[in-house]
Amino acid sequence: MDWESFYDAHPSPSNYEPTITAVENFVCSHENKKIVLVTSGGTTVPIEQNTVRFVDNFSVGTRGSASAEYFLEAGYIVIFLYRSNSLEPFVRHFNNSLLDKLEIVDDKLIQVKNSEFDILYPILKKYKDAKEANRILTVPFTTLIEYMWLLRGACMLMDTKYSLLYLAAAVSDFYIPPNEMSEHKFQSKDGPPMIALRLVPKVLKAVTHIWAPNAYIISFKLETDNRILIQKSKEALKKYKHQLVIGNLLHTRKRNVKLISQDDVVEDIVLTDQDIENGIEIEDLIVSNVKAKHDIFLKSHK
């Protein structure tokens, strides 16, 4: 199935229109400013119409949520298209430990522990500043179909040279069409279910050629075999004609990534042990590099 047939066969989700209207209003309020769409987290693939079980992946949105923060620091307006309940910008710092940073005073007041104030305050200040200035819009999704529709709608609203598409979400390669799903929960007494997965159509060509051909577009490539990472990244650039692939290996992705561009230049970004000890995140280095490339792109498209 090609991407056009996919959209014809799968109606938009019930919340699509109000969500895309919110995205449109946000984009229009920042005309001619540098704006980035960051996609983050994984997509679920239901295996029943009344969903109890689904196919998922390991992504929790670490790269996307961290990158969104650094794009804000770099002066971008941010649309954060993320998997519901995955990591979000700023919130990610306290995802498992926020309650430990608070204390109850006289059974009437909740306050931040003195020992935690210097950590919490700068993060909360950045979040409040971004929200009050209307510089970040968060858009959640859960299923593959929700993601596909929201991606298309957002890209079509961002077809300018000021737009940067940073497609970091871990999108499923396989799915089950709704008309081929069981209506109700599979019963174990019936034995193992026979499930036929279909290939998800590649929409990157639609992004680069139809929905947002004027934007600066970055895709991600995750592999487990170092021998094919650069080759597959270059093949993607040749096929889809976008500007940059960020390649990484599963077990080293938090310390080392490769930036592969259309001119066959491969740049390594590596975190040293000292960088990690100093609290530097690799997404900070990635975003700084991407910003410089986007600035050059803007100057060449006056």
Side-chain angles (χ1 to χ4, degrees), residues 165-213:
L165 307 182
Y166 188 84
L167 307 179
V171 183
S172 174
D173 289 320
F174 309 99
Y175 81 113
I176 305 170
N179 62 351
E180 297 180 13
M181 293 180 192
S182 169
E183 181 181 359
H184 297 292
K185 175 189 172 185
F186 285 109
Q187 299 298 313
S188 58
K189 66 181 178 62
D190 296 329
M194 299 298 292
I195 298 173
L197 296 174
R198 304 297 181 89
L199 280 171
V200 175
K202 301 295 185 183
V203 296
L204 187 53
K205 190 167 186 178
V207 173
T208 60
H209 287 70
I210 300 171
W211 301 340

Side-chain angles (χ1 to χ4, degrees), residues 46 71 100 103 112 115 124 170 181 188 191 199 209 214 261 263 274 289 298:
F71 276 118
D100 292 331
E103 60 186 2
V112 178
S115 60
L124 180 60
M181 293 180 192
S188 58
L199 280 171
H209 287 70
N214 294 299
S261 54
D263 54 8
Q274 185 173 356
N289 192 301
L298 285 173

Side-chain angles (χ1 to χ4, degrees), residues 36-93:
V36 59
L37 172 69
V38 177
T39 69
S40 182
T43 57
T44 67
V45 174
I47 65 173
E48 302 137 338
Q49 291 179 17
N50 293 287
T51 307
V52 174
R53 302 178 179 91
F54 53 84
V55 180
D56 205 348
N57 65 47
F58 70 89
S59 176
V60 295
T62 302
R63 177 139 296 158
S65 59
S67 297
E69 289 182 29
Y70 292 117
F71 276 118
L72 286 168
E73 288 187 12
Y76 280 82
I77 309 301
V78 174
I79 299 173
F80 186 64
L81 179 59
Y82 73 106
R83 161 75 175 275
S84 181
N85 296 322
S86 67
L87 296 178
E88 298 179 52
F90 307 108
V91 182
R92 70 188 178 95
H93 298 280

Side-chain angles (χ1 to χ4, degrees), residues 290-301:
V290 166
K291 177 185 180 298
K293 287 178 167 53
H294 190 208
D295 286 342
I296 294 171
F297 177 82
L298 285 173
K299 290 177 182 178
S300 65
H301 289 76

Side-chain angles (χ1 to χ4, degrees), residues 20 35-36 41 87 132 148 162 182 221 263 270 287 294 297:
I20 284 300
I35 184 168
V36 59
L87 296 178
E132 289 172 7
M148 295 281 275
Y162 299 101
S182 169
K221 179 70 68 176
D263 54 8
V270 182
V287 169
H294 190 208
F297 177 82

